[in-house]
Amino acid sequence: EAEQGFRPLDEASLVAYIKTTPALASRLGGGSLDSLEIKEVGDGNVNFVYIVRSEAGAIVVKQALPYVRSVGDSWPMTRERVYFEASTLREHGRLCPEHTPEVYHLDRAMSLMAMRYIEPPHIILRKGFIAGVEYPLLADHMSDYMAKTLFFTSLLYNNTTDHKKGVAKYSANVEMCRLTEQFVFSDPYRVSKFNRWTSPYLDKDAEAVREDEELKLEAAELKSLFMERAQALIHGDLHTASIMVTTGSTQIIDSEFGFYGPMGYDIGAFLGNLILAYYAQNGHADQANDRKAYKKWILKTIEESWNLFQKKFVELWNKHKEGNGEAYLPDIYNNSKLLSVAQKKYMTNLFHDSLGFGSAKMIRRIVGIAHVEDLESIKDASRRAECERAALNCAKTILKGRRQFETIEQVIVHIQSFD
Ligand code: ADP
Ligand code: MG
Ligand code: MG
C-alpha cells in the first residue's frame, strides 16, 4: 500500500483536511467552518478519534497511524485497518442501520474515516456496567444486530460465489487477525512478556492455565476454528467497549478486526464480556448498593441475548429458506422435518462455539495482555483477584465442558455456582 498521500493529522491539520473535503464540510453545514471545535477522545489503545463540531452539527473522524497508539512506533501495525473498519461498518450498517453509525467518508490513503457522532447521553457500555446502570433493551438490540449481520453475510443467505468474494476481500485483514491469534488463543497458554495478572494473588492460577493440557487443546481447536471457518462477516472485537448505549439506543463501533470468521466469535465476545461484568460486580458492591439486583439483571440479559438471537436467526432462516443461500438448497432441505433437524444442529454447534470463544475471551482478559475496566477499576487488589479467580474458574470449566450445555439457562446456573 502506498505511503504516498499519508500524513498523520493533528487538530490543526484536521481542520484544513475537513475544509477541503466536501463530504465532511457539508456534514458540518458547509460555509466557512471557521469555528470548528475539535476534541481528541480516543480512549482506545489503538487509534486517534476526534469529535469535530460546528454550529450546524458534529462528526467523528478516526485515523490509524502505522503503529499501536498506546505502545508507540515500537509496535508497527498496518494502517489498512481503517479500510477494513469502514468496510465492515458499511456492510453491517446496510444490514442493521438501527445499531451502527453511518460512515460518511473513507480516505484509504490517509487511513482515515468519518462517521456519525453518537451523541451523549450515549456512553461506552462497559462504563454503564461499572456504574450499575440497567439497559432494558440491550438484549433485544444486540440479538438484532448479531442475527442480521451474521445471517445475511453467511451461506444461509448468499450463494457461494458472492460469499467467496467477501472472504477474499477481508482475508487481507491478516495483521488484525494475527493479534487475536496471539493474544486470545496463544499467549495466555504460554509464558509471554505481554501477559499480566493480579500478582501475587493469581500467580498460581496463571501457572495452572499454562499447565492445563485439556484447556490448551481446547484453545488450539478454537484458534483453528477462528482462522479456518469463514462463516460470516464478523465484527471481530465485539466486547462491551465497542458498544455505546443509552437506555433506549445501542450502537456498535470499532469494527477494525472485521473479517469472515466464525459467528460464535462475535456472540461469544459479547456474552463473555457480560459474564466478566457479572463477576466484577462483587468488587463494585458497597453499602449503598449491594449490586444483587444488578447481577440478576446481567444474568437475565445473558439469557435473553442468546435466546432472542437464536429465535431471530432461525426466523430469518425460515423467511429466506427459498432464497439464494446455498448452504441448505431448498430442493433438498425444504421438508419441514429435515429443515428443523438441520436448524437444530446448526444452532447447537453455534451455541457451543459461542461458549468456547466467550470463555477463551474471559481467560485472556484475566491472564493475558489486555484487561477489562470492569475488573481493573476494582482498586483493592485482593478483592479484584477474588472476582477474577471466580471468572477464570468459570471460564475454564465452560471452555472444557461447553458441549455438555444444552441451554443458556444451564450456563446461567453454572455461572452462579462459581460466584
Ligand atoms: P480504538 O480502535 O482506538 O479502540 P474506538 O473506535 O473504540 O477506537 O473509539 C475510541 C473512543 O472514541 C470510544 O471509546 C468512544 O468513546 C469514542 N468514539 C468512537 N466512535 C465514536 C462515535 N461514532 N461517536 C461518538 N464517540 C465515538
Ligand atoms: Mg475500541
Ligand atoms: Mg479498535
Side-chain angles (χ1 to χ4, degrees):
E1 83 233 35
E3 277 304 307
Q4 257 175 356
F6 177 76
R7 287 173 294 134
L9 294 179
D10 56 19
E11 272 92 342
S13 50
L14 179 55
V15 170
Y17 181 90
I18 289 167
K19 285 184 177 175
T20 55
T21 308
L24 299 185
S26 66
R27 293 281 171 186
L28 294 162
S32 71
L33 298 178
D34 278 334
S35 54
L36 285 185
E37 201 186 292
I38 300 200
K39 204 166 113 205
E40 209 279 316
V41 293
D43 59 354
N45 302 319
V46 187
N47 300 295
F48 289 80
V49 178
Y50 302 90
I51 297 173
V52 183
R53 270 176 235 275
S54 73
E55 270 139 40
I59 61 172
V60 163
V61 174
K62 183 167 178 177
Q63 186 179 38
L65 268 46
Y67 52 80
V68 179
R69 174 184 185 168
S70 59
V71 185
D73 24 12
S74 66
W75 194 321
M77 192 155 66
T78 173
R79 293 185 279 107
E80 276 290 87
R81 61 190 188 268
V82 169
Y83 165 71
F84 291 108
E85 173 164 355
S87 301
T88 306
L89 197 52
R90 277 184 169 144
E91 184 63 6
H92 285 179
R94 195 173 64 75
L95 302 170
C96 189
E98 313 87 293
H99 301 302
T100 38
E102 185 186 344
V103 176
Y104 297 145
H105 174 70
L106 167 67
D107 183 337
R108 194 168 172 179
M110 284 285 282
S111 304
L112 177 150
M113 63 180 279
M115 67 186 130
R116 196 181 91 221
Y117 172 50
I118 303 168
E119 72 292 342
H122 282 93
I123 57 167
I124 290 290
L125 176 56
R126 213 188 273 299
K127 297 197 185 283
F129 284 159
I130 295 166
V133 183
E134 294 188 12
Y135 296 97
L137 298 177
L138 182 64
D140 187 35
H141 288 171
M142 287 304 294
S143 58
D144 226 45
Y145 167 81
M146 296 189 295
K148 287 177 181 155
T149 57
L150 299 176
F151 177 82
F152 287 117
T153 59
S154 77
L155 280 174
L156 298 173
Y157 183 73
N158 296 308
N159 68 44
T160 55
T161 304
D162 289 343
H163 191 79
K164 285 247 161 132
K165 259 187 222 154
V167 174
K169 170 174 172 176
Y170 287 91
S171 67
N173 202 7
V174 52
E175 277 192 46
M176 299 307 280
C177 287
R178 282 190 69 84
L179 289 179
T180 300
E181 290 153 24
Q182 177 178 351
F183 294 131
V184 178
F185 299 111
S186 299
D187 276 0
Y189 305 93
R190 66 182 172 195
V191 174
S192 159
K193 65 174 176 181
F194 298 114
N195 289 340
R196 64 187 180 83
W197 53 83
T198 303
S199 186
Y201 305 95
L202 296 185
D203 289 357
K204 287 250 155 35
D205 304 76
E207 188 187 343
V209 168
R210 296 194 299 267
E211 288 179 357
D212 188 330
E213 291 177 354
E214 197 188 338
L215 194 69
K216 292 200 293 196
L217 282 174
E218 296 293 352
E221 281 188 32
L222 287 172
K223 182 178 180 177
S224 284
L225 194 62
F226 176 79
M227 296 174 64
E228 296 164 358
R229 181 116 203 241
Q231 195 176 20
L233 176 58
I234 67 172
H235 177 283
D237 200 21
L238 196 54
H239 54 71
T240 46
S242 296
I243 303 170
M244 296 185 73
V245 288
T246 66
T247 48
S249 161
T250 306
Q251 303 292 318
I252 287 93
I253 58 168
D254 201 8
S255 49
E256 63 191 325
F257 286 80
F259 80 113
Y260 276 75
M263 296 176 180
Y265 192 77
D266 273 2
I267 303 163
F270 180 59
L271 297 181
N273 274 267
L274 287 174
I275 303 173
L276 287 175
Y278 172 84
Y279 284 112
Q281 294 305 316
N282 286 351
H284 298 303
D286 56 27
Q287 294 208 313
N289 186 347
D290 64 12
R291 300 273 176 141
K292 286 209 171 104
Y294 194 59
K295 285 166 72 175
K296 280 215 176 102
W297 174 79
I298 296 179
L299 292 179
K300 192 171 113 238
T301 300
I302 294 170
E303 186 180 325
E304 284 182 2
S305 293
W306 171 260
N307 284 336
L308 286 173
F309 166 79
Q310 165 154 313
K311 178 168 169 283
K312 291 172 188 184
F313 191 91
V314 172
E315 276 169 9
L316 287 174
W317 188 338
N318 286 331
K319 189 168 165 204
H320 296 282
K321 67 182 195 297
E322 284 166 73
N324 296 329
E326 291 191 322
Y328 296 90
L329 294 168
D331 57 339
I332 309 175
Y333 296 92
N334 237 346
N335 146 348
S336 65
K337 191 155 153 261
L338 183 56
L339 184 64
S340 107
V341 171
Q343 290 178 336
K344 178 132 205 303
K345 246 187 127 168
Y346 195 98
M347 297 318 287
T348 300
N349 286 333
L350 185 49
F351 185 51
H352 293 158
D353 290 355
S354 303
L355 293 178
F357 287 123
S359 45
K361 301 222 3 134
M362 289 171 67
I363 292 169
R364 76 91 155 211
R365 295 297 195 177
I366 297 164
V367 298
I369 182 175
H371 290 216
V372 291
E373 195 182 340
D374 310 61
L375 291 159
E376 292 293 283
S377 59
I378 301 167
K379 289 279 166 299
D380 182 300
S382 96
R383 200 173 174 204
R384 179 169 72 245
E386 258 177 62
C387 298
E388 291 174 325
R389 181 175 293 120
L392 184 62
N393 288 336
C394 172
K396 283 166 62 173
T397 52
I398 294 180
L399 185 48
K400 290 190 251 188
R402 64 188 181 281
R403 295 173 195 88
Q404 272 132 51
F405 292 103
E406 286 171 13
T407 65
I408 192 75
E409 287 77 8
Q410 292 168 352
V411 180
I412 302 292
V413 171
H414 189 77
I415 294 168
Q416 286 173 297
S417 76
F418 284 88
D419 184 14

